[in-house]
Amino acid sequence: MANPLLADWDAPHGLPPFGQILPEHFEPAVEAAMQEHRSEIAALGALAEAADFDNTVAAFDRAGRRLARIAAVFQTFGASATSAPLQAVQRRLAAPLAAHHSAIHTDAAFFARLDALHGCRAELALDAESLRLLERLHLDFVRNGARLPEPERSRHGQLMQALAELTTRFAQNVLHDESSWQLPLADAAAMAGLPAFVRAAARQAALERGVPGAVVTLARSLVVPFLTFSERADLREQVWRAWVGRGESAGAHDNRGVVRDILRLRQELASLMGHACYADFALADTMAGTRERVDELLQAVWSRAVPRALAERAQLEALRDSAEPGRAGEPIADSDWRYWAERVRRERYAIDDAEIKPYFELGRIVDAAFACATRLFGLRFQRRDELPVYHPDVVAYEVSSAAGAPVGLFLQDNFARGGKRSGAWMSALRWQTRNVVGSVAAQLPVILNNNNFARGEAGSPTLLSLDDARTLFHEFGHGLHGLLSNVRYQRLSGTQVLRDFVELPSQIFEHWITEPEVMKQHARHWQSGEPIPDELIERLQRARRFNQGYETVRYTASAMLDMALHARTQVEPPADVCAWEAAFLADAGAPAGCGVNHRLVHFQHLFAGSSYAAGYYVYLWAEVLDADGYDAFTEAGSPFDPAVAARLLRYIYAAGNSVEPNAAYAAFRGRPPRLEPLLDKRGLLQADPA
């Protein structure tokens, strides 16, 4: 049978024939594409001509395109539309794909040519982007073991294969726990306190799972509002325990041993590469560079966030004690914090999500994101429902410039469902590049955004919280980073930048959803069409720093856990990672009741892959940049100032990895970043938790 993954893809934009692809197509297609890639690299290494930039560096950047496109489809199905057969294929292919990656980056003949060019790079008279590519590719090879002697080089490959298998298992275990748990809401008592939008989402979740009535699942867009509004403390505790307990249940899906195995292998890898710990290895190729710089930032924020969270907790307990005198003196439980925080917010600012959400209908917020991109960067978005997509939820948009020139294709997949992992993310089916062979002038990007919003009932809209709207804008910021990329080489394209720079384009874009003029235009009541009232916008602005001690503690504690765990130099990881986690938080003075964003056993940033391992701090690092960077618009007097937007486009969104990130930021801002805008944004410069 013909394999659609290996055929020419003749759909518009080179989209794959999603509807023809079956799980059994991936293994033979990936194997054929890996063989083709190995042959390409072997041919480059065997060239008789002396190495030069074009026949070695640029040629490597063009190699492996078939494998890249197949792997992108494989990853898309695995994350967004998986099944038991596909998960089995993922487990079988994890090690071979890692082995292939290692083989490519330790090919001795090719590396000898690349290494020679790198050694004389100052004499090659390369333009800045070409020099950047040579330096980045050389570093890729070195960090993947190309300079290791045997048998260390072979051991490096074995470690990467074993880690690929373990991280695949970790992610699948979390998905199992998320998709298999539900809390039935059997009667009116179980629904007590829930606004209409939460009840509707729970009924829709039950319908999608084929069960009667209403259920709470472990989709974040259901968990958070349930914990916020449910008057049933016993049910809140059940939901909270299931949410924080993902990956911790004994049995086939227990991640505790998986985490230990990953940590053990990462420590061996770091030692093999000449580092005392995995954190040092990971940070060597970041803006931060060292643990000391990361710790300095984390402690600067932690020392301010903890007192703020304690003050917030006192407010919550005071209100709780007055409402429920029998509980006076009890500490606020983790499962209760959001509920009482919402009560305080309503009392102090006359705001609750039930009032806000009718103004944040999903379609209007998508339109708002597009409109901001149009005003800032001149982009145009045209919906194309006839294009092939991998799931009916996915909406495709052709993206063009103000002059009508094609920019790329944007695919948006917004809803939570079975077979889709939790969280929100951006990915690419194809990266932008001008390094192509033949008559094609450039390869345009195909960019995906995934969210996990709770779908509204049939005939009713999907309403977002303000946090949901920020998430949509955040991921769209990543999407713009991919779509607006304007570089020559694929390796430097889009979001393929240093990890602590990659969150800047996404986080700075979040600012526009809370701009009053954006809300006045796009935040309209889903029934009446009336714009959000000025008075409600003012209340939202006054409340923007509310509960930020809690939110900052949760994030910073997770980042500190990550860094401390990967900074250990012992070969053996903690015998009980959950006990280690609890002890670390107690020693750090984490306020009771706050919890963390991610416990280790379901911390997918760290253990479903390696990209954010010893790197969860990057959101805070990038927030320093985004808070300081957005002030450039404030100083210019308009959130759409054309001169500032032009610099943002040129140096941040379009530059990819063609410019060193500190230099890119300084070119945009005119100076290095400052910490104070971040502290002010989170309300950590003031003593009052208002």
Side-chain angles (χ1 to χ4, degrees):
M1 183 175 63
N3 191 324
L5 289 166
L6 294 172
D8 291 333
W9 297 349
D10 56 7
H13 302 279
L15 285 170
F18 289 114
Q20 301 174 29
I21 298 170
L22 301 174
E24 55 263 34
H25 290 139
F26 283 106
E27 283 176 278
V30 167
E31 180 52 50
M34 288 193 300
Q35 181 57 54
E36 179 181 277
H37 192 198
R38 288 192 294 268
S39 297
E40 289 173 331
I41 302 308
L44 294 179
L47 282 174
E49 297 90 346
D52 62 28
F53 181 85
D54 289 332
N55 70 18
T56 301
V57 182
F60 183 87
D61 187 64
R62 289 190 296 270
R65 296 281 171 91
R66 184 192 296 270
L67 177 60
R69 76 174 192 173
I70 294 171
V73 176
F74 184 44
Q75 291 159 5
T76 297
F77 273 76
S80 303
T82 196
S83 63
L86 186 61
Q87 288 184 320
V89 175
Q90 285 181 296
R91 293 191 292 271
R92 291 196 296 270
L93 279 179
L97 279 166
H100 173 77
H101 182 80
S102 293
I104 293 297
H105 285 92
T106 55
D107 184 287
F110 180 82
F111 181 65
R113 295 170 66 86
L114 181 66
D115 196 37
L117 287 172
H118 185 262
C120 66
R121 62 191 181 279
E123 305 160 20
L124 298 179
L126 297 175
D127 62 81
E129 185 177 344
S130 297
L131 178 60
R132 179 74 173 167
L133 177 65
L134 171 55
E135 292 175 343
R136 293 306 303 171
L137 285 183
H138 188 265
L139 186 60
D140 289 345
F141 273 73
V142 171
R143 286 178 62 80
N144 281 282
R147 278 192 167 154
L148 292 175
E150 286 292 358
E152 286 85 353
R153 190 161 65 237
S154 293
R155 180 56 182 160
H156 181 281
Q158 293 168 359
L159 289 172
M160 298 310 292
Q161 293 175 59
L163 283 167
E165 291 178 329
L166 287 166
T167 54
T168 299
R169 190 195 313 171
F170 182 95
Q172 292 187 356
N173 286 347
V174 176
L175 179 60
H176 168 271
D177 284 3
E178 289 175 345
S179 60
S180 61
W181 188 90
Q182 62 192 32
L183 173 70
L185 302 177
D187 51 30
M191 295 268 201
L194 299 181
F197 72 85
V198 181
R199 298 180 184 214
R203 288 192 296 267
Q204 182 63 28
L207 181 65
E208 292 175 0
R209 291 197 172 197
V211 296
V215 298
V216 177
T217 69
L218 292 184
R220 189 179 188 278
S221 56
L222 261 176
V223 167
V224 171
F226 187 84
L227 293 177
T228 301
F229 294 107
S230 173
E231 295 176 0
R232 291 282 299 274
D234 58 330
L235 298 186
R236 293 200 303 268
E237 184 175 5
Q238 286 185 49
V239 171
W240 174 79
R241 289 195 179 280
W243 178 244
V244 302
R246 291 166 295 152
E248 196 179 5
S249 299
H253 304 285
D254 189 345
N255 269 337
R256 287 172 289 189
V258 179
V259 170
R260 295 187 75 249
D261 290 342
I262 291 172
L263 291 171
R264 186 182 299 109
L265 296 182
R266 283 180 177 166
Q267 180 58 27
E268 184 181 350
L269 175 64
S271 179
L272 198 66
M273 298 301 293
H275 293 277
C277 62
Y278 187 81
D280 288 349
F281 169 68
L283 290 168
D285 187 31
T286 61
M287 293 179 74
T290 65
R291 280 182 282 150
E292 289 73 21
R293 292 194 70 192
V294 174
D295 289 341
E296 180 182 2
L297 173 61
L298 294 178
Q299 287 303 319
V301 173
W302 182 252
S303 63
R304 293 170 171 86
V306 169
R308 171 58 61 83
L310 292 172
E312 291 170 354
R313 189 176 70 189
Q315 284 186 338
L316 270 54
E317 289 174 344
L319 180 61
R320 191 273 319 271
D321 292 352
S322 66
E324 300 179 3
R327 299 183 64 186
E330 291 181 16
I332 286 284
D334 296 57
S335 56
D336 288 342
W337 188 295
R338 292 184 185 275
Y339 175 77
W340 290 105
E342 180 67 11
R343 294 278 298 271
V344 169
R345 186 170 71 148
R346 289 204 302 263
E347 180 178 279
R348 190 158 187 169
Y349 301 103
I351 285 177
D352 66 69
D353 274 355
E355 178 185 13
I356 297 167
K357 290 189 76 162
Y359 293 97
F360 286 83
E361 188 270 323
L362 173 60
R364 289 192 181 276
I365 302 308
V366 171
D367 289 344
F370 290 173
C372 289
T374 298
R375 292 186 66 181
L376 289 165
F377 308 125
L379 296 181
R380 302 291 187 270
F381 297 83
Q382 181 180 1
R383 182 164 174 159
R384 292 288 305 275
D385 289 336
E386 76 280 9
L387 294 179
V389 292
Y390 59 84
H391 190 277
D393 287 348
V394 181
V395 181
Y397 300 89
E398 284 184 336
V399 187
S400 58
S401 70
V407 169
L409 189 71
F410 177 61
L411 306 179
Q412 194 172 50
D413 183 353
N414 279 326
F415 296 113
R417 59 177 179 267
K420 182 179 181 182
R421 73 173 176 87
S422 61
W425 66 96
M426 169 267 189
S427 57
L429 284 174
R430 188 172 65 230
W431 295 107
Q432 176 271 333
T433 179
R434 295 193 296 275
N435 184 20
V436 295
V437 176
S439 60
V440 179
Q443 175 177 288
L444 297 180
V446 178
I447 301 300
L448 289 78
N449 268 181
N450 272 268
N451 293 297
N452 266 285
F453 303 133
R455 190 195 312 268
E457 290 182 287
S460 298
T462 295
L463 303 179
L464 305 183
S465 68
L466 187 53
D467 281 346
D468 288 336
R470 286 195 187 97
T471 296
L472 188 146
F473 267 60
H474 177 102
E475 295 308 330
F476 187 61
H478 281 309
L480 290 174
H481 200 185
L483 287 166
L484 290 168
S485 177
N486 185 17
V487 300
R488 192 179 314 150
Y489 304 110
Q490 181 167 279
R491 171 61 184 84
L492 304 178
S493 180
T495 62
Q496 298 176 101
V497 297
L498 300 193
R499 182 57 59 188
D500 40 13
F501 191 76
V502 75
E503 298 299 335
L504 169 58
S506 57
Q507 290 180 189
I508 198 170
F509 200 76
E510 292 179 37
H511 289 262
W512 275 276
I513 186 54
T514 54
E515 277 293 337
E517 68 176 280
V518 174
M519 286 198 284
K520 285 290 290 182
Q521 182 175 358
H522 297 283
R524 292 176 175 269
H525 197 282
W526 72 272
Q527 290 172 308
S528 69
E530 290 296 314
I532 188 169
D534 289 337
E535 183 267 340
L536 179 53
I537 293 176
E538 291 169 5
R539 281 187 277 141
L540 286 171
Q541 295 290 335
R542 290 199 304 272
R544 69 188 184 276
R545 296 187 181 96
F546 174 72
N547 214 33
Q548 280 300 301
Y550 170 80
E551 297 292 354
T552 305
V553 160
R554 286 173 57 81
Y555 166 78
T556 310
S558 296
M560 291 163 59
L561 275 169
D562 166 35
M563 194 54 58
L565 192 64
H566 286 105
R568 298 175 77 260
T569 57
Q570 298 91 332
V571 173
E572 276 299 304
D576 183 336
V577 294
C578 294
W580 181 91
E581 173 187 296
F584 175 86
L585 293 173
D587 290 345
C594 288
V596 292
N597 274 2
H598 309 283
R599 296 192 56 234
L600 296 176
V601 285
H602 55 251
F603 206 158
Q604 298 205 70
H605 288 79
L606 308 191
F607 299 116
S610 62
S611 295
Y612 285 86
Y616 192 63
Y617 77 92
V618 301
Y619 293 95
L620 192 61
W621 186 276
E623 194 173 348
V624 173
L625 304 180
D626 85 65
D628 182 74
Y630 194 75
D631 274 0
F633 287 95
T634 303
E635 292 160 10
S638 168
F640 296 99
D641 181 83
V644 180
R647 295 200 307 272
L648 184 65
L649 172 60
R650 177 179 178 183
Y651 296 114
I652 305 301
Y653 283 101
N657 202 355
S658 65
V659 180
E660 190 276 326
N662 285 296
Y665 185 84
F668 159 61
R669 193 66 173 99
R671 56 165 175 75
R674 297 170 180 157
L675 177 62
E676 287 73 19
L678 161 69
L679 299 176
D680 180 62
K681 173 185 170 184
R682 287 183 173 259
L684 301 180
L685 292 177
Q686 299 83 21
D688 186 348

